[in-house]
Amino acid sequence: MKRFNQWVAVKLTVLLSSMWLFWILVIALIVAAILDPPSTPYTIVMFVISAAFQAIALPVLALTSSLQGDRQERVTSDTHKMTIEELQLIKKQLEMTRKEMAMLNEVLKEKRK
């Protein structure tokens, strides 16, 4: 059941956050406003708040979230790349240090003789 619920959630997220839905809702809101225009300031405000914000904001917020996620993924990837480069540099330095230590140990052994 959990798998099915997750599948439904993913499909609904994709559908509700698509720009296709955004344009369909914009057209539906314009048609609704033309067919039955709000007549009082209260109904105009309620129409704008309930219809426009709720119907249009979801795809726009999802797009914004997606763009932010893409940006964060690039930052994370760049950070990972720099970290790996630094790690490789540190490994080379450690290897050089070990070689120097081995050489110094040899010199010390020779001096002790």
Side-chain angles (χ1 to χ4, degrees), residues 9 95 104:
E95 183 180 330
L104 287 173

Side-chain angles (χ1 to χ4, degrees), residues 23-38 47 51 56:
W23 289 113
I24 290 169
L25 292 172
V26 166
I27 292 169
L29 289 171
I30 292 171
V31 168
I34 291 171
L35 293 177
D36 187 19
F47 176 78
I56 295 171

